[in-house]
Amino acid sequence: MDEGLEHFRRARLKSVLLLLAVFVAGTLAGAAGDEWFTRRPAAPAGRRVNHSSPASGARHVYPGVLGRMHLTAAQHVTIDSLFDRERPRNEAILSGVLPILRGEADSLRASIRAVLTPDQQRLFDLEHRSARADRASLLDSTPAR
């Protein structure tokens, strides 16, 4: 009975850790994406903009269905103002939550690393550094607001 209970506990812990890792990764990717999507130069007034190309002069490149719509200049202005209005609140939330999530991600990463072999640890560390460099280059390559 103890073996079955221990197996259940390990499976549950792995599930929770996986869920946490996915949540942290999604949050960090969302923050990076938000930063990337909101760092676009403003579109000239009265000009209809196709957001499929970053060179189009659009201020925001909208994800999902908004990015596939042919919005009018007035719609862009309104939607941009909605993004601008919500940005301080979203940034305040992120600034409070991201340090906690980063700490949790670092703790999870250290726990995972502890069960790996030295060769696996090197690969794990290399992938982690590569992912961090990719995120940093994404943020560094975007124009300033």
Side-chain angles (χ1 to χ4, degrees), residues 91-115:
E91 288 176 354
I93 292 168
L94 281 175
S95 70
V97 173
L98 280 179
I100 296 167
L101 290 175
R102 285 188 184 115
E104 291 297 320
D106 289 345
S107 176
L108 174 61
R109 188 178 154 302
S111 297
I112 291 170
R113 193 178 187 283
V115 301

Side-chain angles (χ1 to χ4, degrees), residues 37-77:
F37 283 125
T38 58
R39 286 185 171 196
R40 295 285 167 238
R47 181 174 160 208
R48 188 178 172 127
V49 178
N50 176 358
H51 277 326
S52 62
S53 165
S56 67
R59 178 155 181 241
H60 291 99
V61 176
Y62 302 125
V65 69
L66 283 177
R68 294 187 303 271
M69 292 181 177
H70 297 286
L71 301 173
T72 65
Q75 289 171 317
H76 279 287
V77 168

Side-chain angles (χ1 to χ4, degrees), residues 10 26-27 29 46 48 56 76 82 86 93 98-99 102 107 110 117 122-123 126 129 135 138:
R10 275 184 289 189
T27 300
R48 188 178 172 127
S56 67
H76 279 287
L82 293 171
E86 292 298 318
I93 292 168
L98 280 179
R102 285 188 184 115
S107 176
T117 66
R122 281 189 286 280
L123 180 59
L126 181 65
R129 283 192 300 272
R135 285 191 303 270
L138 173 68

